[in-house]
Amino acid sequence: AIEAREDAHRAAKRAFAQDVADRLAGHAGKFAELVIAAAPKTLGDLRRALPPARLKALGVKLAGEIAKDLTAVRPAEIAAQLKKLPRPRAPVLPLVHPTAKAKPAADNKPAATRARAAQRPRKSLATK
């Protein structure tokens, strides 16, 4: 039989999902519902690390899942994703993989740079 190989990066992601599950055990009783937001593959890893029996043992109900990488998304956009769930939820703290590189936001320029750009006159296409 041929064994499937797993690269080190994928193994690290699976280990991270298991670490998240283990850390949740340390917070048992502090919340009743859990919403998991993660990239699709990571979400699968978290599902395997948090089977229904483990969630029940922790006294936590899985209230929703968001299968999307939200590491480069602004908090307001994350809140919008949470509002799409069946009912309002408590605030969610992001869990970011320690080796994940932060993706820059579209307008991550310093406020002073944005202010100067807003003061410059804009060229009109109609003046050509």
Side-chain angles (χ1 to χ4, degrees), residues 18-70:
Q18 187 61 50
D19 184 50
V20 169
D22 294 341
R23 287 175 187 242
L24 282 175
H27 297 283
K30 294 183 180 176
F31 51 92
E33 295 183 332
L34 175 68
V35 175
I36 299 175
K41 285 185 180 181
T42 304
L43 183 59
D45 294 340
L46 287 167
R47 283 186 192 129
R48 282 187 285 283
L50 291 166
R54 186 165 187 188
L55 289 171
K56 187 175 181 180
L58 295 173
V60 175
K61 175 187 171 197
L62 185 59
E65 296 177 343
I66 300 173
K68 185 175 179 181
D69 182 356
L70 300 176

Side-chain angles (χ1 to χ4, degrees), residues 79-112:
Q81 289 286 329
L82 292 173
K83 286 180 184 177
K84 291 179 184 177
L85 293 173
R87 58 191 171 121
R89 304 286 176 215
V92 177
L93 298 175
L95 296 171
V96 180
H97 191 280
T99 61
K101 293 181 181 175
K103 297 175 188 172
D107 66 346
N108 62 347
K109 297 175 186 171

